[in-house]
């Protein structure tokens, strides 16, 4: 039996915060593989400023190119429908029937979980590895109690989001450092997020 990490996101664009939490999760939980699953149409996000799935996928590929146990998955892109995690997890359960599945996410996403499509089934399919995004944790003890198979990882907050990057990329130079080098190059070449 192996441990498998599932890391879903819009990755619009992927940034160093994503890589950092995936690396920490991989190390602490001895994850044999971490699959980065790029959402085609995120159910809970506005499509404003959402660049094409294939461009987001290309950036994830570049970002994880040299990281041995990280892999990109276009499962949600190939399914031409809203990217509900339930379908993805069910797919992974079938692919890895005897392994342990860990869903990696930030606290902001985790706190919405009860509103997700078929959330009561999702929580039976995997465990959760949840990272804080701010110094002050927004997680309530209620959430902690309600989902027993949840591992809370407290880190020094990585104060960056794709939204900040999209909003400031071409106007504030400091934002570029939060992007992996090959992703920087790709965005520059394709003039994305102008
Ligand atoms: P946006 O600003 O567009 O909402 P995002 O930066 O939150 O994007 P997503 O692709 O939505 O990026 O994130 C995928 C997952 O990674 C989510 O579970 C999110 O909570 C988590 N995540 C993203 N950035 C961080 C960060 N800096 N620290 C911890 N978790 C993060």
């Amino acid at each position: 039996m192996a441990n498998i990490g599932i890391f879903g996101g819009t990755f619009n664009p992927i940034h160093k915060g994503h890589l950092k939490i995936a690396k920490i999760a991989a190390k602490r939980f001895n994850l044999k593989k971490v699959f980065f699953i790029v959402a085609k149409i995120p159910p809970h996000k506005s499509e404003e400023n959402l660049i094409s799935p294939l461009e987001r996928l290309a950036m994830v590929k570049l970002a994880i190119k040299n990281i041995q146990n990280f892999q990109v998955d276009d499962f949600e892109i190939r399914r031409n429908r809203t990217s509900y995690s339930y379908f993805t997890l069910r797919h992974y359960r079938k692919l890895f029937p005897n392994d342990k599945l860990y869903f990696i996410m930030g606290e902001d996403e985790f706190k919405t979980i009860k509103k997700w499509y078929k959330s009561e089934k999702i929580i039976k399919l995997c465990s959760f590895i949840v990272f804080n995004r701010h110094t002050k944790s927004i997680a309530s003890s209620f959430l902690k109690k309600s989902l027993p198979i949840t591992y809370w990882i407290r880190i020094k907050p990585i104060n960056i989001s794709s939204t900040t990057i999209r909003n400031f990329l071409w106007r504030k130079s400091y934002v570029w450092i939060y992007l992996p080098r090959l992703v920087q190059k790709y965005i520059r070449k394709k003039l994305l997020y102008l």
Side-chain angles (χ1 to χ4, degrees), residues 84-102:
Y84 289 122
S85 299
Y86 169 67
F87 296 116
T88 309
L89 283 160
R90 216 178 46 177
H91 165 72
Y92 269 86
R93 197 17 86 224
K94 280 188 193 141
L95 280 181
F96 299 101
N98 303 315
D99 295 330
K100 220 173 156 199
L101 301 180
Y102 291 88

Side-chain angles (χ1 to χ4, degrees), residues 84-187:
Y84 289 122
S85 299
Y86 169 67
F87 296 116
T88 309
L89 283 160
R90 216 178 46 177
H91 165 72
Y92 269 86
R93 197 17 86 224
K94 280 188 193 141
L95 280 181
F96 299 101
N98 303 315
D99 295 330
K100 220 173 156 199
L101 301 180
Y102 291 88
F103 199 151
I104 303 164
M105 65 181 71
E107 196 173 25
D108 56 314
E109 190 168 353
F110 186 72
K111 75 170 181 175
T112 68
I113 209 157
K114 290 197 164 170
K115 296 192 198 125
W116 291 12
Y117 178 68
K118 293 200 190 282
S119 63
E120 72 295 343
K121 290 205 167 132
I122 289 180
I123 62 177
K124 292 189 183 127
L125 288 168
C126 63
S127 310
F128 298 89
I129 304 175
V130 185
F131 289 84
N132 58 303
R133 291 192 73 160
H134 306 282
T135 313
K136 196 170 173 293
S137 176
I138 49 166
S140 65
S141 53
F142 165 72
L143 270 175
K144 288 183 189 179
K145 268 186 225 146
S146 59
L147 291 167
I149 5 162
T150 305
Y151 302 95
W152 295 85
I153 310 291
R154 197 142 194 92
I155 51 168
K156 184 165 166 269
I158 312 156
N159 194 11
I160 195 69
S161 68
S162 299
T163 305
T164 312
I165 292 173
R166 288 194 304 276
N167 289 344
F168 297 116
L169 196 56
W170 297 95
R171 281 184 287 137
K172 298 201 175 168
S173 54
Y174 77 89
V175 176
W176 289 97
I177 63 162
Y178 292 106
L179 295 166
R181 200 175 45 82
L182 294 177
V183 175
Q184 288 185 18
K185 272 180 133 179
Y186 185 89
I187 292 175

